[in-house]
Amino acid sequence: ENDTAGTVVNGWLDIDSAAVTYLPYQWELTGGKGRLLFKDQDMLVDQLDIRAGKTNIHVKGAARNLVALLDRNAENVSMDWSLKMTHMDLEDFSALAGNAGPRAARGGASNKSLFSATFARVDNLLKEGAVHVGIEASDISYKKFSGAHAKGDLLFDNHAITLNRLMIEQGAGSMQLKATLLRNPAGTTNPLTLESHLSAVDLPRLFAGFNNFGQDALTAKNLKGMLTADIRLSGALNGKARVASNSLKGTIDFSLRQGELIDFAPMEKIHEKVLKKRDLSQIRFAELKNQLDVDSTTITFHRMEIQSTAFTLFAEGTYDLKTGPDMSLQVPLSNLTKDRNPDIPPDSKGNDSKAGMSLRLRARNGEDGKLKISWDPFKKALKKKG
């Protein structure tokens, strides 16, 4: 107890077919094989292969001053790890974003053991210490989403997980993501903030990868185009690492180039009301630009000009993931006289451009749950509901 000399350990430990369970999250690693090197107060990993679910991980890194935990607290302990994977399935790591379960009960013998205080310090380091993790994966997936050449930088610090950057290639496009997850030991949800930049991402592939974002009005089979967007959202994850209901808020600024709508049912509804001589089964668009506001399950569309090979249209309103759309559609009367190039849409004039004399339509679901297009000369779709 009164020894002032610092503890040192030198040597190595070879492991084979090793398994580890991180008890607070019941997260398992299996098939561990490699060597742990101990040099004075550091533990070094030059080669370690281990598996999380279906993901095989090659680990390198160091835990500096780790041996100091034998006889003092963890003020100077730091961990820096590099994880490389051929394929990374994010579902194999989702448990770490959920809530910790109850701590495993300890027997009386372990509480009185020589190293009980050391074990408590190690446990505290894993829960509240700073652990830096670099990630590289040749390809990455989460449910139906997939990407390639993923590189990320994670920091586990106290009760926060910070994703400083994650870069993923998807086809000819790319995605960048930053996020912070705050663990809330006393609550049922964990606050989340994220920022993402999408650059020239294939739109139908994105919709298919995220299961059409939980709606069936507009699906991957109806779309073509390259999406660039800046996404800023806040919300919360529940104990099972799923987005908590009614928690998402934020904005999405987007630009869609080379866009097409294919066999989109609402276009047929418009065809029944106006533009009866136009073919609306496949429509090519000029660049679409707008900002979407996200509040819980409701997405608000600001006034957006839609220049296409079939018509000029201005749309604004809301889409609720539970109740469907309530959109105001402004159709300029000039559509009735102007012929259109079936292959090249006119250039956009801007979301704030004048439409001239127009017809007003309202698109919303009827009592049967099916989309209805009705006349809306008094713009009821834009009036706030009490």
Side-chain angles (χ1 to χ4, degrees), residues 1 21 56 98 110 209 252 264 282 314 352 383:
E1 181 179 355
T21 301
N56 294 311
S110 63
I252 302 173
F264 186 42
Q282 184 171 6
F314 292 85
D352 296 326
K383 295 180 180 179

Side-chain angles (χ1 to χ4, degrees), residues 92-333:
D92 293 331
F93 300 85
S94 61
L96 296 174
N99 286 343
R103 293 178 56 146
R106 293 177 177 173
S110 63
N111 287 334
K112 298 177 182 179
S113 72
L114 177 64
F115 294 107
S116 61
T118 299
F119 296 153
R121 287 194 288 267
V122 173
D123 188 36
N124 191 61
L125 171 66
L126 291 174
K127 288 193 303 178
E128 300 181 3
V131 182
H132 172 258
V133 182
I135 297 172
E136 290 187 30
S138 298
D139 63 83
I140 188 171
S141 67
Y142 181 69
K143 297 184 178 180
K144 295 182 179 180
F145 171 81
S146 63
H149 303 117
K151 290 187 178 181
D153 188 80
L154 275 167
L155 179 65
F156 296 80
D157 191 3
N158 203 341
H159 293 290
I161 302 176
T162 303
L163 178 63
N164 292 314
R165 62 176 180 85
L166 176 63
M167 302 175 63
I168 304 172
E169 294 178 9
Q170 195 181 43
S174 64
M175 306 174 66
Q176 298 181 30
L177 178 66
K178 295 181 179 180
T180 299
L181 178 68
L182 299 177
R183 297 191 188 279
N184 185 8
T188 58
T189 60
N190 301 310
L192 171 71
T193 58
L194 66 85
E195 295 181 9
S196 181
H197 176 71
L198 312 182
S199 178
V201 171
D202 183 68
L203 191 60
R205 183 174 177 179
L206 182 69
F207 266 63
F210 286 96
N211 198 28
N212 297 314
F213 299 95
Q215 51 84 42
D216 57 8
L218 183 61
T219 65
K221 67 180 182 180
N222 304 125
L223 293 166
K224 286 186 179 181
M226 309 300 289
L227 178 68
T228 296
D230 287 300
I231 302 169
R232 296 166 294 275
L233 294 173
S234 63
L237 298 185
N238 61 25
K240 296 182 179 180
R242 301 289 187 268
V243 176
S245 60
N246 303 325
S247 68
L248 280 183
K249 294 182 182 294
T251 60
I252 302 173
D253 291 293
F254 74 90
S255 167
L256 178 63
R257 295 177 180 271
Q258 303 172 24
E260 292 186 32
L261 270 181
I262 303 167
D263 295 329
F264 186 42
M267 293 298 102
E268 293 302 317
K269 297 293 184 181
I270 294 176
H271 186 265
E272 294 172 4
K273 290 288 183 180
V274 294
L275 307 176
K276 296 182 179 182
K277 296 182 180 181
R278 304 282 172 86
D279 181 8
L280 304 185
S281 62
Q282 184 171 6
I283 305 170
R284 294 179 175 85
F285 293 95
E287 181 183 9
L288 299 181
K289 298 179 68 174
N290 204 347
Q291 176 178 296
L292 309 179
D293 296 330
V294 180
D295 188 353
S296 185
T297 61
T298 301
I299 302 172
T300 299
F301 294 76
H302 298 277
R303 188 173 190 264
M304 179 171 62
E305 178 195 25
I306 303 174
Q307 288 282 7
S308 75
T309 53
F311 53 73
T312 297
L313 184 71
F314 292 85
E316 57 186 311
T318 61
Y319 186 94
D320 192 287
L321 297 179
K322 295 180 179 179
T323 61
D326 193 355
M327 301 290 295
S328 173
L329 307 177
Q330 183 180 6
V331 184
L333 292 179

Side-chain angles (χ1 to χ4, degrees), residues 22-38:
Y22 186 31
L23 290 175
Y25 296 92
Q26 291 299 309
W27 186 58
E28 295 184 349
L29 296 167
T30 60
K33 184 176 183 178
R35 173 173 286 190
L36 309 181
L37 295 173
F38 294 89

